Amino acid sequence: MTIPFLSILVWLPFLGFAATLVFGTTQRRARNIAVAFSIVNTALAILLTVTFITHWFDAWLPASRSWAANGVVQSFYYVEEYRWVPTLGISYIMALDGLSLPLVFLTPLLVTIAMGFSWDKDYRPKGFFALLLLMEWSILGVFVTLDFFLFFIFWELVLIPMFFLIGIWGGPNRHYAAIKFLIYTHVGSVIMLLSIFAMFLFASPVLLGHRTFNMIEILQAVSNPAKRALLGTAFQFPVFAAFFFGFIVKLPSVPFHTWLPDAHVEAPTAGSVILAGLLLKLGGYGIFRIALPMLPDAATELWWVMASFGVVSMIYASLVCLTQVDLKRLIAYSSIGHMGFVLLGASSQNTVGIAGAIFQLFNHGIITAALFMLAGTIKHSAGTRDIPKLRGLGERMPKYSLVLMISFFASLGLPGLNSFVSEFMVFTGTYGGVPYQPYREIVLIPLLAVVLTGAYYVWTMHKMVFGTFNEALGHVHDLKRNEIVVYSVLIAIMFAVGFYPTLWIGVVQNPSLYLTGILGGTP
């Protein structure tokens, strides 16, 4: 007998959502129920990660499914497959690989940290904590589901709790920000849905002889060059474009980014942590799970499109950050720039570059969670996020200032902290990538974003931490106990991954090799 571990991991937060709504009659009870469910799920995610790396408990879990392509074995582990609506080719399929594992590990961890940061939330706490669990459920569903029909359901369900988190617990312009968020991301989803139908109605019959939403079967068929040739570039190009549009809206990439700063500024701190740390990662995950391996001929030819969007996002967002006075808006734009690394790595057709881009999804999630909580902490303590007013905090808030400096250094890519590794891999892989061989000098252009990132973080740190304290802020308090706990976890991960990145690099290496092989790139 095998244990359906992935189903337990996905559906436990939904059970917690229901339990919080039914039994969370007081603030304390609602919080404790939600936190308990999320902590248990975090423990399960850690156990799953250990099992994936060591294979200690594989005998208790469902079997894997593998195939070879270009000399590389692509494996999906712990596959759970049940025929749901056979006449329509719809199945309940959940599985895990090195691409999804870091994000599956990250999801319950960040939700638990967001809850810990919001320990004293007293306005409609039952709905607040229940929606965080609903968000955890839907995001985990996206990362482990391998049926297009179920994938799209989870993809859309993510929007509902975030819409309400912004619209109910957000700032003064929360209704505008919530509606803008919903419209932008839903339009992207609708365009993506057209590509899903194209894969179901045209690609699957050509590749497999029958219509199906089964992503594993489609991925395996596309890995065969003879079968892939049957699709033709006339099919792959428009379908890739529609998928890519849906993913870069969620990522987001310039110029489809304008919903993000408004959503972040108005969202409650926990909402910003989930939005930047997890929801944005859905776009990057979709590129590596669907766009590149299912439509590789189009991805190979359109590498310059991915690179252009990535580089423009990196430089534009960095320049905008230099002009910001609101700390939270600055962090929001920095997220756009750091997601540009993902697109640049995806365009490299190089194992190191692709692995760095996947690794960047994980690293950015850790760092941006800390940054948005820092913006929330200073707003609660000082009553403002205006950077020019927040001077001399090192004198009155030494613990906060230390965490701020470490997080800034991690985000700008300081060696010894986690982001340096993934960003260095992206640049190294891009420089050695097949498309860039004739003109490697253009890698200097995205390097400008690294310089600008260092400039706006050092400027912000100089304004906030050093100098004479602004007495107009009144009494400010340093970090509370619950904040110290959540910051300590994130900073420990930043240093641990920075000094020993081999663990996660080993996890993402196989999917990176597979993607490089199918794209005809260089290992």
Side-chain angles (χ1 to χ4, degrees):
M1 180 180 177
T2 58
I3 301 172
F5 201 97
L6 294 179
S7 290
I8 294 172
L9 188 73
V10 170
W11 289 96
L12 187 63
F14 185 81
L15 182 61
F17 161 76
T20 304
L21 289 181
V22 174
F23 301 109
T25 52
T26 64
Q27 190 272 351
R28 182 176 181 180
R29 184 173 294 178
R31 178 195 67 200
N32 290 347
I33 292 172
V35 170
F37 271 94
S38 196
I39 287 176
V40 170
N41 224 37
T42 303
L44 291 177
I46 294 172
L47 179 61
L48 180 67
T49 303
V50 172
T51 301
F52 186 93
I53 295 171
T54 64
H55 304 288
W56 286 345
F57 306 108
D58 281 3
W60 296 87
L61 300 176
S64 62
R65 188 173 302 176
S66 305
W67 65 87
N70 300 293
V72 180
V73 176
Q74 168 65 27
S75 298
F76 286 103
Y77 297 88
Y78 323 130
V79 180
E80 303 171 28
E81 182 173 358
Y82 310 97
R83 299 296 178 184
W84 188 7
V85 188
T87 54
L88 297 178
I90 300 173
S91 301
Y92 176 94
I93 306 174
M94 292 191 174
L96 191 75
D97 68 345
L99 168 60
S100 53
L101 178 67
L103 301 174
V104 169
F105 170 83
L106 189 66
T107 301
L109 174 67
L110 290 192
V111 172
T112 304
I113 284 174
M115 290 179 179
F117 185 86
S118 308
W119 196 257
D120 299 324
K121 178 69 68 175
D122 55 2
Y123 177 65
R124 302 177 71 172
K126 179 168 68 173
F128 180 83
F129 287 107
L131 285 173
L132 289 178
L133 284 172
L134 190 65
M135 180 72 71
E136 181 178 342
W137 167 66
S138 54
I139 293 175
L140 281 172
V142 172
F143 290 147
V144 301
T145 296
L146 288 172
D147 178 272
F148 268 125
F149 184 84
L150 196 57
F151 173 87
F152 187 76
I153 290 176
F154 280 119
W155 183 276
E156 285 292 272
L157 283 173
V158 170
L159 307 183
I160 298 173
M162 184 56 69
F163 173 79
F164 285 112
L165 282 170
I166 299 172
I168 297 175
W169 290 274
N173 295 320
R174 59 186 179 274
H175 296 142
Y176 166 79
I179 291 173
K180 188 175 183 180
F181 158 78
L182 186 66
I183 291 174
Y184 266 76
T185 51
H186 183 63
V187 168
S189 300
V190 169
I191 300 300
M192 185 184 75
L193 182 62
L194 297 177
S195 286
I196 292 177
F197 279 132
M199 297 299 292
F200 173 73
L201 295 173
F202 180 79
S204 61
V206 170
L207 295 170
L208 302 165
H210 61 276
R211 288 175 177 165
T212 182
F213 287 103
N214 189 317
M215 294 165 68
I216 296 179
E217 290 185 359
I218 294 173
L219 284 168
Q220 186 172 358
V222 170
S223 68
N224 184 329
K227 289 187 176 182
R228 184 167 70 242
L230 299 175
L231 293 179
T233 55
F235 171 83
Q236 289 195 40
F237 274 60
V239 175
F240 177 90
F243 269 129
F244 186 67
F245 176 79
F247 296 143
I248 63 172
V249 168
K250 190 86 79 176
L251 196 61
S253 180
V254 177
F256 310 110
H257 68 287
T258 57
W259 63 270
L260 183 68
D262 292 324
H264 271 309
V265 168
E266 300 303 325
T269 301
S272 289
V273 169
I274 305 302
L275 180 59
L278 297 174
L279 195 142
L280 304 189
K281 308 304 176 283
L282 301 182
Y285 173 79
I287 290 171
F288 294 113
R289 173 64 74 220
I290 297 172
L292 298 188
M294 291 192 185
L295 303 159
D297 296 336
T300 301
E301 293 295 327
L302 297 176
W303 67 270
W304 59 273
V305 175
M306 292 185 283
S308 299
F309 275 106
V311 172
V312 169
S313 295
M314 292 165 68
I315 295 178
Y316 172 82
S318 299
L319 290 171
V320 172
C321 282
L322 289 171
T323 68
Q324 298 305 307
V325 295
D326 185 311
L327 179 61
K328 202 173 187 183
R329 189 172 285 271
L330 181 147
I331 297 167
Y333 274 104
S334 80
S335 292
I336 297 170
H338 283 89
M339 288 297 95
F341 281 94
V342 176
L343 291 176
L344 184 63
S347 73
S348 68
Q349 299 175 27
N350 177 276
T351 301
V352 176
I354 292 173
I358 298 172
F359 199 15
Q360 176 74 353
L361 294 174
F362 174 81
N363 286 331
H364 180 260
I366 295 295
I367 296 169
T368 197
L371 290 174
F372 277 110
M373 288 193 298
L374 287 163
T377 295
I378 199 62
K379 176 66 174 179
H380 296 152
S381 179
T384 182
R385 295 191 303 261
D386 288 351
I387 297 170
K389 297 178 182 178
L390 298 169
R391 63 178 184 268
L393 295 180
E395 178 184 337
R396 302 291 177 88
M397 302 176 67
K399 296 175 185 175
Y400 174 87
S401 299
L402 177 62
V403 175
L404 182 78
M405 293 173 66
I406 293 173
S407 301
F408 278 4
F409 284 137
S411 190
L412 64 83
L414 185 73
L417 294 166
N418 57 339
S419 187
F420 168 77
V421 182
S422 52
E423 293 180 8
F424 181 79
M425 290 174 67
V426 167
F427 281 119
T428 303
T430 302
Y431 185 80
V434 171
Y436 296 88
Q437 295 296 328
Y439 24 79
R440 287 177 168 176
E441 295 80 7
I442 64 172
V443 178
L444 294 173
I445 299 174
L447 274 173
L448 176 63
V450 177
V451 178
L452 294 172
T453 299
Y456 66 73
Y457 274 130
V458 171
W459 174 83
T460 304
M461 188 164 50
H462 172 73
K463 289 286 186 180
M464 292 180 62
V465 176
F466 303 103
T468 305
F469 178 72
N470 181 11
E471 297 293 344
L473 296 176
H475 174 72
V476 295
H477 62 80
D478 212 343
L479 300 181
K480 296 183 288 186
R481 283 182 297 178
N482 63 305
E483 293 173 338
I484 292 174
V485 171
V486 295
Y487 285 132
S488 297
V489 172
L490 294 174
I491 289 174
I493 295 175
M494 292 178 200
F495 278 106
V497 175
F499 280 99
Y500 189 71
T502 306
L503 179 69
W504 289 113
I505 292 175
V507 168
V508 304
Q509 183 178 16
N510 191 73
S512 304
L513 283 168
Y514 176 77
L515 287 172
T516 303
I518 202 169
L519 293 171
T522 54

